[in-house]
Amino acid sequence: MDNNLVVLLGPTGVGKTELSLRIAERLDAPIISADSRQLFRDLPIGTAAPTKEQRERVAHYMVGTLSLDDYYSASQFEQDVMALLGELYRSRRTVVMTGGSMMYIDAVCDGIDDIPTVTPDIREAVYKQFEAEGLAPLLAELREKDPIHYEAVDRQNHKRVLHAVEICRLTGQPYSSFRTRTKKERPFRVVKIGLNREREELYDRVNRRVDQMMADGLLEEARRVYPYRHLNSLNTVGYKELFKYIDGEWTLDMAVEKIKRNSRVYARKQMTWFKKDPAIAWFHPDQEADIMEFLRKQIEAGDDR
């Protein structure tokens, strides 16, 4: 197994971007973004997408490839990245993948269940019902059609609930019947590096990052995409809070504080997810020399097998 996928992951604001660039330069590797929102080309500030200068330093993939109204999923990401890796490994032994979208990372490293693609008419019908009636009737429908998944799903996460209902309507079968969680074999070695900081340090970085995004023009970016606020691509931290300000429901200060709070909540969710994976080797972002030595040993050990 000669090819390597170095996965640099961690919570939002931890410092993945700059370190991923230096690692990629040291390994002569391109970077694949595993950020579900950086895929959308109209959201560079709010998604902290790599800048023109960063992309000139290292080739980046899976950034800015979608329009706001494009449907995309972790399953599609798996297919696209596996095809991309097949191309990249023709000329490179190592590729770096970095980001914080948990399901997207797992889809590439371990595979994802082959769940049918939801048709636009069913997706639109489910979302319209959600907007008109709220989550309660959709939860009731899921409980009736798939009691197993109803017990397991995070019922506060409307995206998960809606997707399960969509699959039930599309196939006439329980969503849980498609979830086998069978790990797929990969024709490359996966080395996972996790970045983390002490909670106070991380939260301070998250808060300052939001302030910097606002200074960089996040409000103006939100105004530009406001006409498309109903799209799922914009149902994300940063935009939905500023839409409340644009609608006159919140003051700007309140919206910014909500962005900071919701970003911190998301960082906690990311860490809860990542810490379940024993394959991740954890480091502080300042331990760059230790990280590079770890990678060297992992890659060399793989070569000796």
Side-chain angles (χ1 to χ4, degrees):
M1 193 177 289
D2 296 329
N3 297 323
N4 309 288
L5 180 65
V6 174
V7 182
L8 186 69
L9 54 84
T12 185
V14 76
K16 298 183 291 294
T17 300
E18 185 57 37
L19 185 55
S20 71
L21 288 163
R22 293 199 294 272
I23 289 174
E25 288 171 330
R26 294 274 293 274
L27 297 176
D28 188 28
I31 293 176
I32 295 174
S33 169
D35 185 307
S36 64
R37 288 300 182 258
Q38 286 185 2
L39 284 157
F40 296 99
R41 67 177 66 96
D42 298 308
L43 311 175
I45 299 173
T47 65
T51 64
K52 179 176 180 288
E53 292 74 20
Q54 290 168 336
R55 298 181 75 168
E56 287 174 350
R57 283 175 61 183
V58 177
H60 282 70
Y61 297 89
M62 308 305 290
V63 176
T65 60
L66 301 177
S67 298
L68 291 175
D69 58 353
D70 286 337
Y71 172 72
Y72 205 73
S73 66
S75 178
Q76 187 63 51
F77 185 76
E78 176 192 9
Q79 295 176 41
D80 291 345
V81 171
M82 289 301 294
L84 173 61
L85 287 171
E87 294 293 322
L88 294 175
Y89 285 139
R90 292 182 179 181
S91 58
R92 308 290 183 95
R93 286 194 56 208
T94 301
V95 175
V96 173
M97 184 170 75
T98 186
S101 294
M102 300 86 79
M103 290 186 68
Y104 280 44
I105 292 169
D106 285 356
V108 173
C109 295
D110 302 324
I112 198 167
D113 294 323
D114 294 323
I115 296 174
T117 300
V118 179
T119 57
D121 58 327
I122 288 180
R123 168 156 288 108
E124 184 178 0
V126 171
Y127 267 84
K128 280 186 175 179
Q129 182 177 356
F130 170 64
E131 291 173 352
E133 303 175 19
L135 197 57
L138 292 162
L139 277 169
E141 180 178 348
L142 181 62
R143 181 171 53 190
E144 177 185 350
K145 293 181 176 178
D146 190 352
I148 294 175
H149 190 63
Y150 174 82
E151 292 299 329
V153 73
D154 177 0
R155 294 172 212 159
Q156 304 301 314
N157 188 325
H158 75 272
K159 293 181 184 177
R160 302 272 175 87
V161 173
L162 267 57
H163 184 57
V165 171
E166 290 168 353
I167 296 299
C168 290
R169 291 188 186 182
L170 175 72
T171 65
Q173 300 177 51
Y175 177 72
S176 57
S177 67
F178 295 96
R179 292 171 59 84
T180 63
R181 297 188 181 276
T182 301
K183 185 173 181 177
K184 297 177 183 176
E185 293 296 321
R186 295 307 195 199
F188 48 80
R189 182 185 307 113
V190 176
V191 183
K192 295 180 181 178
I193 302 290
L195 301 182
N196 198 13
R197 298 175 184 266
E198 292 296 328
R199 179 170 288 192
E200 286 189 12
E201 181 187 13
L202 177 63
Y203 285 1
D204 179 64
R205 284 179 59 89
V206 167
N207 292 340
R208 287 189 285 113
R209 185 191 199 195
V210 173
D211 289 334
Q212 187 60 55
M213 286 180 172
M214 292 299 296
D216 290 342
L218 180 58
L219 178 57
E220 290 72 21
E221 186 171 273
R223 288 189 190 279
R224 285 198 300 273
V225 299
Y226 179 76
Y228 312 100
R229 62 193 181 279
H230 61 285
L231 296 174
N232 186 52
S233 57
L234 290 168
N235 184 25
T236 191
V237 176
Y239 300 98
K240 59 185 181 181
E241 295 87 356
L242 288 176
F243 294 158
K244 292 273 192 180
Y245 163 68
I246 295 170
D247 285 334
E249 296 182 35
W250 291 348
T251 65
L252 184 57
D253 286 345
M254 179 183 293
V256 171
E257 285 306 310
K258 292 284 190 180
I259 295 172
K260 292 177 179 179
R261 188 199 70 176
N262 291 337
S263 296
R264 297 192 300 266
V265 169
Y266 182 56
R268 289 201 300 272
K269 289 181 178 179
Q270 289 172 299
M271 286 306 301
T272 299
W273 180 291
F274 290 138
K275 285 192 171 181
K276 294 176 183 177
D277 186 349
I280 299 173
W282 289 98
F283 296 89
H284 190 283
D286 293 343
Q287 295 177 277
E288 185 172 343
D290 294 335
I291 291 170
M292 292 307 306
E293 179 63 11
F294 174 80
L295 287 173
R296 183 188 67 79
K297 289 180 178 178
Q298 290 294 307
I299 292 172
E300 287 183 358
D303 291 342
D304 292 339
R305 287 176 193 150

